[in-house]
Amino acid sequence: EDQVTQSPEALRLQEGESSSLNCSYTVSGLRGLFWYRQDPGKGPEFLFTLYSAGEEKEKERLKATLTKKESFLHITAPKPEDSATYLCAVKAGGFKTIFGAGTRLFVKA
Amino acid sequence: EPEVTQTPSHQVTQMGQEVILRCVPISNHLYFYWYRQILGQKVEFLVSFYNNEISEKSEIFDDQFSVERPDGSNFTLKIRSTKLEDSAMYFCASFQGQETQYFGPGTRLLVL
C-alpha cells in the first residue's frame, strides 16, 4: 500500500536555527513528490516538485532533496514567518495524490 | 498570478441536507481534484476529474458524492445527504500538464 510518513510531528526552532524535515514514502512508480506549506485555515501552498532521486530544488531559505525512499526539506536560518505546517505528498500511478500528516514548524524570535 | 477560487468560504448545514461546493480552477488547467481535511487530520484525496469525467475516486467518494463541470469555468462537488462526519475543509485543486497541483483556499463545511 502506498504510504507517506513525515517526521517529526512538530518542531520548535529558534530564529536562525537551521534544521530538516523528513518525508519517507513507499509507492510503486513515483511520478512526483511535492512539498506544500499550509497555514491554519488555509489551502496548501505549493513549494516544490521533485521527480527523481538526486534532484534538489531551492527557494529562499528552503531546499528540498529526494532519494529513492525519502525527501528532506532543509530550512536554513528560519524566521518566525516560516512557522506553518509543511506537507509532503506523492503521486504514483493514476491520479491519486497521497499526503503525509505534516510537520508543524514553530520558529521563535 | 492565476489562482483557484472556492465558494462559499464557510457553509453550515443540517444533517441530511444537500450542499454544493463550488470551485473555479485556473483557466487553462485540464485536471481537477477535490480533497477534504478533517480538523487535525491529513489531506485526503476524494476524486479527480479530466475530460468531463471522473478519472479516479477514493473509497470515501461514495454514492452521496458527485462532481460536475456545468460550464467552462466552474467545478462543483455535491454532497447529497450530509452526515455529521462530512464536517471538514474541502479543497479544490487543479493542474495543467505538469503534476503540480494548485489548491484553492477551501470551504469549511459544518454539519449539525
Side-chain angles (χ1 to χ4, degrees):
Chain A
E1 183 185 339
D2 298 337
Q3 213 166 9
V4 178
T5 304
Q6 291 188 247
S7 62
E9 288 185 14
L11 181 62
R12 296 181 185 274
L13 300 174
Q14 288 291 126
E15 183 172 5
E17 181 186 359
S18 301
S19 189
S20 297
L21 282 53
N22 177 263
C23 171
S24 298
Y25 63 92
T26 307
V27 294
S28 47
L30 181 72
R31 283 171 54 183
L33 184 141
F34 311 95
W35 283 98
Y36 289 89
R37 170 191 169 127
Q38 187 176 31
D39 292 300
K42 303 282 180 66
E45 176 190 341
F46 169 72
L47 293 174
F48 302 108
T49 306
L50 301 167
Y51 291 102
S52 56
E55 193 174 356
E56 298 183 353
K57 288 192 177 170
E58 281 188 73
K59 179 180 176 180
E60 297 179 357
R61 295 179 291 282
L62 300 176
K63 179 180 175 180
T65 62
L66 181 65
T67 72
K68 286 188 177 177
K69 296 196 178 215
E70 57 191 0
S71 177
F72 292 93
L73 184 65
H74 308 276
I75 302 177
T76 302
K79 299 182 178 181
E81 54 262 40
D82 294 323
S83 297
T85 296
Y86 290 84
L87 303 175
C88 173
V90 297
K91 201 146 182 252
F95 293 86
K96 187 174 181 178
T97 303
I98 301 165
F99 278 79
T103 293
R104 286 176 295 140
L105 175 66
F106 304 92
V107 182
K108 189 175 178 184
Chain B
E1 186 176 320
E3 58 182 19
V4 177
T5 59
Q6 290 185 242
T7 55
S9 58
H10 295 78
Q11 173 97 45
V12 181
T13 189
Q14 294 292 322
M15 190 169 56
Q17 294 295 303
E18 174 183 288
V19 294
I20 297 176
L21 310 183
R22 291 182 169 80
C23 168
V24 179
I26 295 172
S27 63
N28 62 340
H29 285 189
L30 301 176
Y31 300 83
F32 314 115
Y33 285 69
W34 283 102
Y35 293 86
R36 80 173 184 190
Q37 187 176 29
I38 295 170
L39 188 64
Q41 296 188 23
K42 291 183 184 184
V43 175
E44 299 175 287
F45 168 80
L46 291 177
V47 66
S48 60
F49 192 85
Y50 170 71
N51 201 25
N52 286 320
E53 61 183 21
I54 291 174
S55 47
E56 190 167 352
K57 60 184 181 180
S58 72
E59 56 278 2
I60 303 168
F61 194 88
D62 60 23
D63 292 344
Q64 69 162 339
F65 291 94
S66 62
V67 289
E68 201 175 39
R69 188 157 161 82
D71 54 43
S73 58
N74 289 286
F75 180 49
T76 62
L77 174 69
K78 182 192 288 187
I79 309 176
R80 244 178 291 280
S81 177
T82 49
K83 304 172 190 169
L84 297 176
E85 54 264 38
D86 293 328
S87 295
M89 281 286 279
Y90 288 82
F91 295 109
C92 173
S94 72
F95 71 100
Q96 177 52 313
Q98 296 173 344
E99 302 285 1
T100 300
Q101 295 177 33
Y102 293 89
F103 283 73
T107 293
R108 184 178 297 280
L109 177 65
L110 178 60
V111 182
L112 301 175

